[in-house]
């Protein structure tokens, strides 16, 4: 917002160096500009006052809003079919903002058995000491749910597709049961992405994403998002602003770029995942393959009813040889890397016991059948024959090594 006056006072090099050039920023760029700025300059106190009091639209300070982030929010809301979205500095930040928006005062957190370990950590290490109570819920025991919902009230936290066993619970039946007992429902849709599932259509009060995974899609950013109806997302936005869970504009810019190819990447990756899952079921080194697209998966019926256009890009397998076989396979894979994350364009493996599910005790891991032999695969968009060939040579070598 530099101003060039006719009779401008002369300024020295130190002053010119920090002076903003006077530019009419174009509004018609074909892709969203990156507003990598912390704040905005004004020549009127009244204008700032009007913007801060909501009487005029505009931006003042990036913690409360940024045009690049707003572009991403609009794109995400459109993909998810949500009225509004707010982007956060991480998926965990989105989870926190979503929980506090739906349950602002301490109450019961009803947590689905297979939930992401980081969510367990947030609930137990941060929210429990604040007075929230933590309760594991088996979302596959539909008969028991009405009684539990009436007993505890509060907020149900579930995922569309669980990590790493690909469990899919009947959220279309569970959400109405929860609402009958005034229990709110927050759904983490990170694994399904809006390409495969739209939990708001089943009545979820909020959807949360880790954009770090498939929506960003290139392992180059950490971001999250909260999506839903206007009033709840507005509360989440206030929490994000006041608590400083705000994203960096550059990360928003990267995520916008990634999200534009989400449908293409998910289409390819989910086809690849189904092929790899089917192939793994024929391998002697593997004693279980978990992928909701396999007809023998325990939740295949729910997955076929609830998921669209495929079953996602994550599968897991249990190696017969346990941890030594996992180590041997990881060391022999040539193209597939061991990365404690997921959702990249490249296929990666991870080890839930060591990485994503660290927060759980051994008994809790056993309750959801996660042991040392379980390997999670996040399938990418490669030529699937190359990925299969890499696993084939690594598994064979693993047998000898184990
Ligand atoms: C990674 C992940 C999160 C947390 O997101 P961050 O961006 O790492 O903070 C939450 N839920 C699921 C299902 C995840 O995979």
């Amino acid at each position: 917002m530099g101003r060039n006056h006719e009779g401008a006072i002369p300024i020295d090099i130190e002053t010119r160096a920090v002076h903003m050039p006077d530019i009419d920023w174009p509004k018609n760029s074909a892709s969203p500009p990156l507003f990598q700025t912390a704040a905005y300059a004004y020549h009127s106190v009244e204008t700032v006052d009007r913007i801060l009091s909501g009487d005029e639209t505009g931006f003042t300070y990036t913690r409360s809003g940024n045009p690049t982030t707003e572009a991403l929010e609009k794109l995400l809301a459109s993909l998810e079919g949500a009225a509004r979205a707010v982007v956060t500095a991480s998926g965990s930040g989105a989870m926190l903002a979503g929980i506090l928006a739906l349950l602002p005062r301490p109450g019961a957190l009803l947590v689905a058995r297979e939930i992401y370990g980081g969510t367990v950590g947030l609930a137990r290490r941060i929210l429990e000491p604040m007075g929230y109570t933590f309760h594991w819920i088996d979302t596959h025991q539909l008969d028991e749910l009405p009684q539990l919902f009436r007993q505890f009230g509060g907020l149900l936290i579930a995922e569309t597709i669980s990590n790493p066993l690909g469990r899919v619970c009947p959220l279309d039946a569970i959400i109405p049961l929860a609402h009958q007992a005034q229990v709110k429902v927050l759904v983490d849709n990170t694994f399904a992405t809006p390409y495969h599932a739209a939990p708001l259509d089943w009545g979820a009060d909020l959807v949360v994403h880790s954009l770090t995974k498939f929506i960003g899609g290139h392992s180059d950013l950490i971001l999250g998002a909260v999506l839903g109806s206007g009033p709840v997302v507005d509360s989440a936005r206030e929490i994000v602003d006041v608590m400083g869970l705000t994203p960096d504009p550059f990360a928003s810019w990267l995520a916008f770029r990634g999200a534009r190819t989400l449908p293409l990447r998910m289409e390819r990756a989910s086809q690849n995942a189904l092929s790899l899952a089917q192939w793994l079921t024929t391998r002697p080194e593997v004693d279980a393959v978990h992928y909701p697209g396999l007809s023998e998966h325990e939740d295949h019926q729910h997955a076929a009813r609830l998921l669209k256009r495929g079953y996602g890009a994550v599968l897991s397998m249990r190696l017969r040889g346990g941890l030594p076989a996992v180590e041997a396979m990881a060391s022999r894979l040539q193209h597939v890397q061991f990365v404690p994350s997921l959702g990249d364009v490249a296929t990666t493996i991870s080890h839930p016991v060591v990485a994503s599910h660290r927060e759980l005790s051994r008994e809790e891991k056993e309750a959801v059948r996660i042991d040392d032999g379980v390997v999670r695969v996040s399938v990418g968009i490669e030529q699937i024959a190359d990925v299969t060939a890499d696993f084939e040579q690594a598994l064979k070598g693993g047998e000898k090594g184990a």
Side-chain angles (χ1 to χ4, degrees), residues 263-320:
L264 280 176
R265 287 184 285 105
M266 291 315 290
E267 179 183 19
R268 174 65 171 254
S270 68
Q271 283 166 6
N272 279 354
L274 180 59
S275 306
L276 183 64
Q278 283 165 342
W279 177 81
L280 285 168
T281 60
T282 68
R283 297 302 311 178
E285 303 89 348
V286 175
D287 67 9
V289 180
H290 304 279
Y291 182 66
L294 293 176
S295 57
E296 61 267 33
H297 188 278
E298 58 220 305
D299 300 325
H300 181 67
Q301 297 301 326
H302 297 318
R305 184 178 74 257
L306 294 174
L307 304 180
K308 305 178 267 198
R309 310 181 187 100
Y311 298 88
V314 180
L315 61 89
S316 67
M317 59 174 128
R318 197 178 168 284
L319 297 193
R320 241 177 248 292

